[in-house]
Amino acid sequence: MALPVRISFDMRCDPVIMADPMLEQAVRQLVDNAAEAGSRNIRTLCRRGTEQLALVIEDDGPGFPDAILADPGQPFQSDKDGTGRGLGLFLTGNVMRRLNGEMRLANLRHGAQVTLLLPTLRPPHDPPPADRRG
């Protein structure tokens, strides 16, 4: 029997990033991983800096084992019995490298945190004014 999971979103930034459909899949994978690990509350938020956007997924689960924190994103590392094959973080790391980004893992006091750092794009400059000579 599956227990309900509460997912909250705090996306109060208006980022301009180079995105790829695989980014959505990576975020979904991280949320699924958190739920499979036993998290009941999963929070996603967005933080924007001048050169980077941080997508942060935090949960109240057991956190990451030391082996995964020591060498994140390696294939076939999993602490979950019978679910998954330990490829979620590996695939997410590959997506981040493809997008010139970075994935960081950390344990919180009660849970885990995955931060996806993506470079922001500079907004396009306004076109030059039209020549109005007549």
Side-chain angles (χ1 to χ4, degrees), residues 28-47:
R28 284 179 188 262
Q29 179 65 46
L30 294 172
V31 170
D32 287 347
N33 281 356
E36 289 173 5
S39 300
R40 293 290 138 245
N41 291 289
I42 301 166
R43 185 172 89 147
T44 61
L45 55 118
C46 174
R47 296 181 184 133

Side-chain angles (χ1 to χ4, degrees), residues 40-122:
R40 293 290 138 245
N41 291 289
I42 301 166
R43 185 172 89 147
T44 61
L45 55 118
C46 174
R47 296 181 184 133
R48 183 177 183 172
T50 55
E51 309 229 342
Q52 285 185 325
L53 170 80
L55 296 173
V56 182
I57 296 95
E58 297 178 343
D59 66 55
D60 63 352
F64 292 109
D66 290 340
I68 292 177
L69 287 174
D71 201 6
Q74 293 303 308
F76 308 112
Q77 288 188 17
S78 180
D79 64 331
K80 295 177 285 195
D81 295 330
T83 58
R85 303 196 190 280
L87 290 176
L89 290 175
F90 172 71
L91 295 173
T92 299
N94 284 341
V95 168
M96 296 311 296
R97 282 187 289 279
R98 180 177 173 186
L99 298 175
N100 296 316
E102 181 182 347
M103 177 180 70
R104 294 183 184 166
L105 308 181
N107 282 333
L108 304 172
R109 188 168 167 207
H110 299 288
Q113 180 184 69
V114 178
T115 302
L116 305 178
L117 298 169
L118 295 158
T120 56
L121 300 175
R122 296 187 186 277

